[in-house]
Amino acid sequence: MAIKICGTGSYLPKHRVTNDDLSEIMDTSDEWIQTRTGMKARHLVTEETTTMMSAEAAKLAMEQANVSAEDIDLIIAATISQDYIIPTLSCEVQRELGAKNAVAFDIGAACSGFLFALNTAYSYLKSGQYQTALILGAETLSKMMDWEDRSTCVLFGDGAGAAIVRNMPDEEGIGIESLVQGSDGAKGMVLACKGRPVKNPYVETEEERMSYVTMDGQEVYKFAVRTVPKAVKEAVEKAEVTLDDIDYFVLHQANIRIIESVAKHLHQPIEKFPTNLQECGNISAASVPILLDDINRKGLLKKGNRIVLAGFGAGLTWGAAVLTW
Ligand code: UT7
């Protein structure tokens, strides 16, 4: 049996916000954002919800994979910005889709979330426990940002990406060949967002203000350029192929300079690294599946192409996968 991604889908909010739009509401500039990150625009929710965007992305992936809601027996949503703490995003999506045969749960691994969801789905499918999984990376990061902190809020966007992962007969192709993932909780505070303050009859807290994402950009940058090439090499070695065998490297879209640095470290041409951060910004768990859907729907992925997916971010966490389309 081969465990394959059989369909992809994505959804971006209708409201597009350019760097110039941001410079009208805060002290920033198109020049600063583009030079430091490569980003030109991002899409931010106005009426959309994380659930709605996820369900729309899921429907497109299901249609492409020719999978009905009843066929899905596992839903894993990777998110840090679900609409409710409970019910989980995956259960909300289950309801929206009418996927009544599925078991649904969320994974919180921030920007590596889609890779962690893929790894988890792979393990369930490999064990034979489930046959058809819907995995999602979906974020409404605009509600997690401090819009008075220009060093973080300009970097992030909203959106959702989905993939159907199935156990398929061997003749359908190779599918997922290797997966690696890792965490380093010791460095977690360089990219953080506090939970709710404790307030019960026995604890009085002064803290009333909602917490937002804080980031030590340079520390996260250093972590990314150190860790991603290592994780990609490890995944490639585990798959018993070489870097030159890879047609596309689909990386988390945090910064064009990180992507260029990874390409250089791996001695691979930048043309093998598709990007959408120019249009989407960084959408945490949704970046990788939205970009995957993007290149899939543009017809760039041909049957037999070998690709790397890689995510990295808060936790700190990282993950990479090698798969043949
Ligand atoms: O998805 C999770 C993973 N996240 C990442 O991988 C992010 C990794 N880090 C980065 O991509 C970069 O570190 C950033 C894009 C976040 C920042 O780039 P940088 O080159 O490290 O800039 P910096 O933090 O050193 O800021 C330089 C200057 C500061 O001014 P001074 O102190 O030098 O006068 C900031 O105040 O840029 C200023 N600045 C801004 N100026 C205009 C910070 N934000 C802005 C802004 N507009 N939005």
Side-chain angles (χ1 to χ4, degrees):
M1 295 296 275
I3 296 170
K4 291 200 68 178
I5 293 183
C6 304
T8 61
S10 59
Y11 183 95
L12 286 178
K14 303 276 176 277
H15 188 57
R16 181 174 185 270
V17 179
T18 64
N19 296 343
D20 284 332
D21 292 333
L22 290 180
S23 69
E24 281 171 21
I25 57 168
M26 67 185 75
D27 182 17
T28 190
S29 66
D30 178 50
E31 202 265 331
W32 190 93
I33 301 172
Q34 275 211 55
T35 328
R36 303 281 169 146
T37 70
M39 293 166 190
K40 297 179 182 171
R42 70 286 298 139
H43 293 243
L44 303 182
V45 300
T46 46
E47 287 160 11
E48 296 93 343
T49 63
T50 313
T51 304
M52 175 260 169
M53 295 193 288
S54 304
E56 291 305 310
K59 283 179 206 162
L60 291 168
M62 287 157 63
E63 191 185 350
Q64 193 173 74
N66 202 15
V67 157
S68 72
E70 288 78 20
D71 291 335
I72 299 169
D73 44 21
L74 177 64
I75 302 176
I76 307 175
T79 187
I80 56 159
S81 51
Q82 62 274 38
D83 298 320
Y84 295 90
I85 294 175
I86 47 170
T88 55
L89 173 61
S90 50
C91 284
E92 286 284 278
V93 173
Q94 175 185 31
R95 175 181 51 74
E96 281 289 314
L97 299 176
K100 55 180 195 283
N101 299 319
V103 62
F105 61 90
D106 288 4
I107 278 186
C111 306
S112 313
F114 186 77
L115 267 299
F116 278 45
L118 181 67
N119 202 329
T120 308
Y122 176 86
S123 306
Y124 273 117
L125 266 52
K126 183 95 180 153
S127 77
Q129 200 170 343
Y130 302 112
Q131 296 303 315
T132 303
L134 163 64
I135 57 172
L136 294 152
E139 305 285 9
T140 304
L141 295 175
S142 55
K143 69 178 176 186
M144 314 291 286
M145 294 301 134
D146 177 352
W147 285 91
E148 284 170 14
D149 176 7
R150 66 177 181 166
S151 67
T152 53
C153 69
V154 302
L155 306 173
F156 295 92
D158 300 333
I164 296 290
V165 190
R166 294 196 99 174
N167 244 328
M168 303 290 280
D170 279 340
E171 55 271 23
E172 291 292 332
I174 299 171
I176 296 167
E177 292 168 273
S178 74
L179 293 146
V180 299
Q181 56 189 9
S183 310
D184 180 6
K187 306 240 173 67
M189 286 307 135
V190 298
L191 179 45
C193 182
K194 254 190 168 178
R196 293 156 72 108
V198 178
K199 214 171 191 190
N200 66 31
Y202 310 99
V203 180
E204 261 308 318
T205 174
E206 298 294 303
E207 213 172 331
E208 284 291 351
R209 194 169 176 271
M210 199 102 76
S211 282
Y212 296 100
V213 170
T214 56
M215 179 167 76
D216 180 339
Q218 291 184 3
E219 283 304 312
V220 180
Y221 191 98
K222 282 188 244 162
F223 150 74
V225 297
R226 223 179 16 242
T227 312
V228 181
K230 254 199 247 165
V232 170
K233 277 188 196 160
E234 200 184 323
V236 163
E237 274 164 27
K238 203 169 161 189
E240 296 180 356
V241 296
T242 70
L243 287 163
D244 292 338
D245 294 325
I246 306 297
D247 296 292
Y248 293 107
F249 296 85
V250 180
L251 305 189
H252 173 52
Q253 300 287 292
N255 189 321
I256 195 71
R257 292 186 291 143
I258 293 176
I259 294 168
E260 287 165 355
S261 165
V262 173
K264 203 167 144 209
H265 271 88
L266 298 177
H267 305 291
Q268 292 296 305
I270 195 69
E271 291 72 30
K272 284 188 175 185
F273 293 72
T275 55
N276 66 0
L277 58 81
Q278 296 83 352
E279 179 59 27
C280 302
N282 176 346
I283 324 180
S284 192
S287 277
V288 168
I290 292 175
L291 179 57
L292 183 64
D293 184 49
D294 206 17
I295 62 172
N296 185 19
R297 283 177 194 271
K298 280 183 183 146
L300 292 181
L301 295 178
K302 309 276 181 260
K303 196 172 161 69
N305 274 173
R306 191 171 264 123
I307 62 175
V308 160
L309 308 178
F312 57 89
L316 298 170
T317 56
W318 60 93
V322 173
L323 51 100
T324 293
W325 201 249

